[in-house]
Amino acid sequence: MKLTADYHTHTTYSDGKNSAAENAVAAEKAGLAEIAITEHGYSHIFRGIARKETEAWLGEVRAADKLSRVRVLTGIESNIRGISGACDLTEKDFENFDVYLAGIHIVIRYEHPSDRRIGWGGWFRRTFHVKPSASFVRDVTRAYIRAIENNPIDIITHLNYQTFADAAEVAKCCADYGTYLEISSKKPHLSDDELAACVNTGVRFVVNSDAHSVDRIGDTKLAEEAIARAGVPLDRIDNIDGRFPKFRFAEYKKHM
Ligand SMILES: [Zn+2]
Ligand SMILES: [Zn+2]
C-alpha cells in the first residue's frame, strides 16, 4: 500500500513542531501528491489555532503550496463540542479551508458544561479502565452522528481515541453522508473488532499520519498493522495506490 495523500498534519500554529513549508517538503520526499495542513480548531484550549492567526496561517500554507510540487491544502481538525454535534467552524470560516476534519478532544471549550462528559468522561473511563455505561456510549455516539449530519465533515479523526462511541453506528452515518473514517497511524483508536464492524457498514476510509513533526509525514505503519489485523479491504481506502478521495465539504461549498 502506497499513500497518495496525507490529510492530517499539524504545524506550530497548533501543537506541531514544524512549518507548513517544512511539512510540504517532507511530503514531497515521502512521494505524496497531496497534503493537508490541519491545525486543531478554535475551541481547543492551548493547542488550537486562534481565529486572529488564521490569515497569517493561510499565507504560509499557500506559500508552501507554491514552493513544492506537492499540492498543499488548507484544513482544520475541528472539535466536536457537545452532544448536539456542534463543531467550532461557522459557515463564515468555510472559505478558509479546503478540507474539514473533526474529532473529539478533551481540553476544549464545550458547548455546555454537561458536554464535558463526551471528552473528559471518556478520558476518565479509558485512563482508569472503567467500563462505559450504555447511556454514556449513546451520548458520545449521538455527538458524532449529529456532527456528521449537521456539518459537511470530510473526515472523522481517530474515532474512539480516549472516548467510547458505537463505532459501527458512527461508521454507518459516515457511509450515508459521504464522510470518511480515518485510520490513524499516530495512535491506536479502534479495536480490531470495531474496525471490522465499521468495514461491514460500507464506510470508506482514509489513512492519515496525524504528524506533529516532519519525520512522521506520510507514516502509515500503525494503520497498516490495524488494517491487516481487522481485514480492511485496500480498495475501501481512498488515499492510497494513486486514488484520491471525493470530499463532501468541497461539494457543499459549491452550493453555498
Ligand atoms: Zn486529534
Ligand atoms: Zn490531529
Side-chain angles (χ1 to χ4, degrees), residues 8 10 40 77 210 212:
H8 188 169
H10 294 266
H40 288 294
E77 186 180 12
D210 195 1
H212 285 61

Side-chain angles (χ1 to χ4, degrees), residues 184-237:
S184 176
S185 66
K186 179 162 189 274
K187 49 208 180 189
H189 54 103
L190 290 169
S191 71
D192 297 343
D193 287 346
E194 284 175 322
L195 186 51
C198 291
V199 169
N200 291 336
T201 67
V203 71
R204 301 198 68 81
F205 299 93
V206 290
V207 168
N208 285 327
S209 71
D210 195 1
H212 285 61
S213 54
V214 288
D215 55 300
R216 288 208 53 256
I217 302 269
D219 170 41
T220 57
K221 187 171 179 289
L222 208 62
E224 284 194 66
E225 289 166 5
I227 287 161
R229 285 195 312 268
V232 181
L234 294 188
D235 62 9
R236 292 278 288 284
I237 306 168

Side-chain angles (χ1 to χ4, degrees), residues 146-172:
R146 286 180 177 162
I148 295 159
E149 287 172 346
N150 298 333
N151 304 275
I153 296 166
D154 288 322
I155 302 171
I156 291 291
T157 62
H158 49 67
L159 175 62
N160 274 0
Y161 175 67
Q162 292 188 320
T163 194
F164 298 86
D166 182 324
E169 284 296 314
V170 176
K172 207 182 297 161

Side-chain angles (χ1 to χ4, degrees), residues 27-95:
E28 197 171 330
K29 277 193 194 136
L32 304 180
E34 206 162 85
I35 187 178
I37 308 294
T38 54
E39 314 299 351
H40 288 294
Y42 298 121
S43 59
H44 204 303
I45 300 167
F46 308 125
R47 292 177 176 181
I49 184 173
R51 254 201 183 82
K52 60 177 190 291
E53 295 175 325
T54 304
E55 203 154 307
W57 173 84
L58 274 174
E60 288 191 29
V61 178
R62 289 194 180 121
D65 180 49
K66 290 206 183 85
L67 170 115
S68 68
R69 269 178 300 179
V70 176
R71 186 163 171 243
V72 185
L73 304 173
T74 61
I76 190 91
E77 186 180 12
S78 186
N79 299 292
I80 298 173
R81 299 181 54 228
I83 294 167
S84 75
C87 289
D88 52 12
L89 284 195
T90 66
E91 292 230 334
K92 264 192 231 151
D93 297 314
F94 284 4
E95 61 175 353

